[in-house]
Coordinates of all heavy atoms in Angstrom, one line a residue:
H1 N 0.8 -1.2 0.0 CA 0.0 0.0 0.0 C 0.9 1.3 0.0 O 0.5 2.3 -0.6 CB -1.0 0.0 1.2 CG -2.0 -1.1 1.2 ND1 -2.9 -1.2 0.2 CD2 -2.1 -2.2 2.0 CE1 -3.7 -2.2 0.4 NE2 -3.2 -2.9 1.5
S2 N 2.0 1.2 0.7 CA 2.9 2.3 0.7 C 3.5 2.6 -0.7 O 3.6 3.8 -1.1 CB 4.0 2.1 1.7 OG 3.5 2.0 3.0
A3 N 3.8 1.6 -1.4 CA 4.3 1.8 -2.7 C 3.3 2.4 -3.6 O 3.6 3.2 -4.5 CB 4.8 0.4 -3.3
T4 N 2.0 1.9 -3.5 CA 0.9 2.5 -4.3 C 0.7 4.0 -4.0 O 0.6 4.8 -4.9 CB -0.4 1.7 -4.0 OG1 -0.1 0.3 -4.3 CG2 -1.5 2.2 -4.9
L5 N 0.8 4.3 -2.7 CA 0.6 5.7 -2.3 C 1.8 6.6 -2.9 O 1.6 7.7 -3.4 CB 0.6 5.9 -0.8 CG -0.7 5.5 -0.1 CD1 -0.5 5.5 1.4 CD2 -1.8 6.4 -0.5
L6 N 3.0 6.0 -2.9 CA 4.1 6.7 -3.4 C 4.0 7.0 -4.9 O 4.3 8.1 -5.4 CB 5.4 5.9 -3.1 CG 6.7 6.6 -3.6 CD1 6.9 7.9 -2.8 CD2 7.9 5.7 -3.3
E7 N 3.4 6.0 -5.6 CA 3.1 6.2 -7.1 C 2.2 7.4 -7.3 O 2.4 8.2 -8.2 CB 2.5 4.9 -7.7 CG 3.5 3.8 -7.8 CD 2.9 2.6 -8.4 OE1 2.0 2.7 -9.3 OE2 3.3 1.5 -8.0
Y8 N 1.1 7.5 -6.5 CA 0.2 8.6 -6.6 C 0.9 9.9 -6.2 O 0.7 11.0 -6.8 CB -1.0 8.4 -5.7 CG -2.0 7.4 -6.3 CD1 -2.2 6.2 -5.6 CD2 -2.7 7.7 -7.4 CE1 -3.1 5.3 -6.2 CE2 -3.6 6.7 -8.0 CZ -3.8 5.5 -7.3 OH -4.7 4.6 -7.8
M9 N 1.7 9.9 -5.2 CA 2.4 11.1 -4.8 C 3.4 11.6 -5.8 O 3.5 12.8 -6.0 CB 3.2 10.8 -3.5 CG 2.3 10.5 -2.3 SD 3.2 9.9 -0.8 CE 4.0 11.4 -0.3
L10 N 3.9 10.7 -6.6 CA 4.8 11.1 -7.7 C 4.1 11.9 -8.8 O 4.7 12.7 -9.5 CB 5.5 9.9 -8.3 CG 6.6 9.3 -7.5 CD1 7.0 7.9 -8.0 CD2 7.9 10.2 -7.4
K11 N 2.8 11.8 -8.9 CA 2.0 12.4 -9.9 C 1.5 13.8 -9.5 O 0.8 14.5 -10.3 CB 0.9 11.5 -10.3 CG 1.4 10.2 -11.0 CD 0.2 9.3 -11.3 CE 0.8 8.0 -11.9 NZ -0.2 7.1 -12.2
D12 N 1.7 14.2 -8.2 CA 1.2 15.5 -7.7 C 1.8 16.7 -8.5 O 3.0 16.7 -8.9 CB 1.6 15.6 -6.3 CG 0.9 16.8 -5.6 OD1 1.3 17.9 -5.8 OD2 -0.1 16.5 -4.9
K13 N 0.9 17.6 -8.8 CA 1.3 18.8 -9.7 C 2.4 19.7 -9.0 O 3.0 20.5 -9.7 CB 0.1 19.6 -10.1 CG -0.6 20.2 -8.9 CD -1.8 21.0 -9.4 CE -2.6 21.6 -8.2 NZ -3.8 22.2 -8.6
K14 N 2.5 19.6 -7.7 CA 3.5 20.5 -7.0 C 4.9 19.9 -7.0 O 5.8 20.6 -6.7 CB 3.1 20.6 -5.5 CG 1.8 21.4 -5.4 CD 1.4 21.6 -3.9 CE 1.0 20.3 -3.2 NZ -0.1 19.5 -3.6
N15 N 5.1 18.7 -7.5 CA 6.4 18.1 -7.6 C 7.2 18.9 -8.7 O 6.6 19.4 -9.7 CB 6.3 16.7 -8.0 CG 5.7 15.9 -6.8 OD1 5.7 16.3 -5.7 ND2 5.2 14.7 -7.2
Q16 N 8.5 18.8 -8.6 CA 9.4 19.5 -9.5 C 10.5 18.5 -9.9 O 11.2 18.0 -9.1 CB 10.0 20.8 -8.9 CG 9.0 21.8 -8.6 CD 9.6 23.0 -7.9 OE1 10.7 23.0 -7.6 NE2 8.7 24.0 -7.7
N17 N 10.7 18.4 -11.2 CA 11.8 17.6 -11.8 C 11.8 16.2 -11.3 O 12.8 15.6 -10.9 CB 13.2 18.2 -11.5 CG 13.3 19.6 -12.1 OD1 12.8 19.9 -13.2 ND2 13.8 20.6 -11.4
G18 N 10.6 15.6 -11.1 CA 10.5 14.2 -10.7 C 10.8 14.0 -9.2 O 10.9 12.9 -8.7
K19 N 10.9 15.1 -8.4 CA 11.1 15.0 -7.0 C 9.8 15.4 -6.2 O 9.2 16.4 -6.6 CB 12.3 15.9 -6.6 CG 13.6 15.4 -7.2 CD 14.7 16.3 -6.8 CE 16.0 15.8 -7.4 NZ 17.1 16.6 -7.1
I20 N 9.5 14.7 -5.2 CA 8.3 14.9 -4.4 C 8.5 16.1 -3.5 O 9.4 16.1 -2.6 CB 7.9 13.7 -3.6 CG1 7.5 12.6 -4.6 CG2 6.7 14.0 -2.7 CD1 7.1 11.3 -4.0
N21 N 7.7 17.1 -3.6 CA 7.7 18.3 -2.9 C 6.8 18.2 -1.7 O 5.6 18.1 -1.9 CB 7.4 19.5 -3.8 CG 7.7 20.8 -3.2 OD1 8.3 20.9 -2.1 ND2 7.3 21.9 -3.9
C22 N 7.2 18.4 -0.5 CA 6.4 18.2 0.7 C 6.3 19.5 1.5 O 7.2 20.3 1.5 CB 7.0 17.1 1.6 SG 7.1 15.5 0.8
T23 N 5.2 19.6 2.2 CA 5.0 20.6 3.2 C 5.0 19.9 4.6 O 4.2 19.0 4.8 CB 3.7 21.4 3.0 OG1 3.7 22.1 1.7 CG2 3.5 22.4 4.1
L24 N 5.9 20.3 5.4 CA 6.1 19.6 6.7 C 5.8 20.5 7.9 O 6.2 21.7 7.8 CB 7.5 19.1 6.8 CG 8.0 18.2 5.7 CD1 9.5 17.8 5.8 CD2 7.2 16.9 5.6
L25 N 5.2 20.0 8.9 CA 4.9 20.8 10.1 C 6.2 20.8 11.0 O 6.8 19.8 11.2 CB 3.8 20.1 10.9 CG 2.4 20.1 10.2 CD1 1.4 19.3 11.1 CD2 1.9 21.5 10.0
S26 N 6.5 22.0 11.5 CA 7.7 22.1 12.4 C 7.1 22.2 13.9 O 7.8 21.6 14.7 CB 8.5 23.3 12.1 OG 7.7 24.5 12.0
T27 N 6.1 22.9 14.1 CA 5.4 23.0 15.4 C 3.9 23.2 15.1 O 3.6 23.5 13.9 CB 5.9 24.1 16.3 OG1 5.7 25.3 15.7 CG2 7.4 23.9 16.6
I28 N 3.1 23.2 16.1 CA 1.7 23.5 15.9 C 1.5 24.9 15.3 O 2.0 25.9 15.8 CB 0.9 23.4 17.2 CG1 1.0 22.0 17.7 CG2 -0.5 23.9 17.0 CD1 0.4 21.8 19.1
G29 N 0.9 25.0 14.1 CA 0.7 26.2 13.4 C 1.8 26.7 12.6 O 1.7 27.8 11.9
Q30 N 3.0 26.0 12.6 CA 4.1 26.4 11.8 C 4.5 25.3 10.8 O 4.4 24.1 11.2 CB 5.3 26.7 12.8 CG 5.1 27.8 13.8 CD 5.0 29.1 13.1 OE1 5.8 29.5 12.2 NE2 4.0 29.9 13.5
F31 N 4.8 25.7 9.6 CA 5.1 24.7 8.6 C 6.3 25.2 7.7 O 6.6 26.4 7.7 CB 3.9 24.4 7.8 CG 3.3 25.7 7.1 CD1 3.7 26.1 5.9 CD2 2.4 26.4 7.8 CE1 3.2 27.2 5.3 CE2 1.8 27.6 7.2 CZ 2.3 28.0 6.0
N32 N 6.9 24.3 7.0 CA 7.9 24.6 6.1 C 7.5 24.0 4.7 O 7.1 22.8 4.6 CB 9.2 23.9 6.5 CG 9.8 24.4 7.8 OD1 9.9 25.6 8.0 ND2 10.0 23.5 8.7
I33 N 7.5 24.9 3.7 CA 7.1 24.4 2.4 C 8.4 24.1 1.5 O 9.5 24.4 1.9 CB 6.2 25.5 1.7 CG1 7.0 26.8 1.5 CG2 4.9 25.6 2.4 CD1 6.2 27.8 0.7
D34 N 8.1 23.4 0.4 CA 9.2 23.1 -0.6 C 10.3 22.3 0.0 O 11.5 22.5 -0.2 CB 9.8 24.4 -1.2 CG 8.7 25.2 -2.0 OD1 7.8 24.5 -2.5 OD2 8.8 26.4 -2.1
N35 N 9.9 21.2 0.8 CA 10.9 20.2 1.3 C 10.9 19.0 0.3 O 9.9 18.4 0.1 CB 10.5 19.8 2.7 CG 10.5 20.9 3.7 OD1 11.5 21.3 4.1 ND2 9.3 21.4 4.0
V36 N 12.0 18.7 -0.2 CA 12.2 17.6 -1.1 C 12.5 16.4 -0.3 O 13.5 16.4 0.5 CB 13.2 17.8 -2.2 CG1 13.4 16.6 -3.0 CG2 12.8 19.0 -3.1
C37 N 11.7 15.3 -0.4 CA 11.9 14.1 0.4 C 12.2 13.0 -0.6 O 11.7 12.9 -1.7 CB 10.6 13.7 1.1 SG 10.2 14.9 2.4
T38 N 13.1 12.1 -0.2 CA 13.5 11.0 -1.1 C 12.4 9.9 -1.0 O 11.6 9.9 0.0 CB 14.8 10.3 -0.7 OG1 14.6 9.8 0.7 CG2 15.9 11.4 -0.6
N39 N 12.4 9.0 -2.0 CA 11.4 7.9 -1.9 C 11.6 7.1 -0.7 O 10.6 6.6 -0.1 CB 11.5 7.1 -3.2 CG 11.1 7.8 -4.4 OD1 10.6 8.9 -4.4 ND2 11.2 7.1 -5.6
D40 N 12.8 6.8 -0.3 CA 13.1 6.0 0.9 C 12.6 6.7 2.1 O 12.0 6.0 3.0 CB 14.6 5.8 1.0 CG 15.2 4.8 0.0 OD1 14.4 4.0 -0.6 OD2 16.4 4.8 -0.2
E41 N 12.7 8.0 2.3 CA 12.2 8.7 3.4 C 10.7 8.6 3.5 O 10.1 8.4 4.5 CB 12.6 10.2 3.4 CG 14.1 10.4 3.6 CD 14.5 11.8 3.3 OE1 13.9 12.5 2.5 OE2 15.5 12.3 4.0
L42 N 10.0 8.8 2.3 CA 8.6 8.8 2.3 C 8.1 7.4 2.6 O 7.1 7.2 3.3 CB 8.1 9.2 0.9 CG 8.3 10.7 0.6 CD1 8.1 11.0 -0.8 CD2 7.4 11.6 1.5
L43 N 8.7 6.3 2.0 CA 8.3 5.0 2.3 C 8.5 4.6 3.7 O 7.6 3.9 4.3 CB 9.1 4.0 1.4 CG 8.6 3.9 -0.1 CD1 9.6 3.1 -0.9 CD2 7.2 3.4 -0.2

């Protein structure tokens, strides 16, 4: 199921150059945009 989700994530329009672009929470109400995560990290 994780591999299937990763396939869908790769198709997201916010990705750039085949890399998955993530928005990550740093604390409650605070976030960081444009974080590139590897497939291994996401899996």
Side-chain angles (χ1 to χ4, degrees):
H1 295 295
S2 296
T4 301
L5 285 171
L6 185 61
E7 287 180 36
Y8 284 113
M9 293 169 75
L10 285 166
K11 296 177 183 178
D12 191 282
K13 65 183 178 184
K14 294 180 295 297
N15 295 338
Q16 297 175 353
N17 301 320
K19 295 182 181 177
I20 296 178
N21 191 7
C22 299
T23 298
L24 304 174
L25 296 174
S26 53
T27 61
I28 296 174
Q30 299 292 316
F31 56 90
N32 296 307
I33 59 173
D34 297 329
N35 297 282
V36 175
C37 297
T38 66
N39 291 358
D40 288 339
E41 291 170 330
L42 292 166
L43 283 172

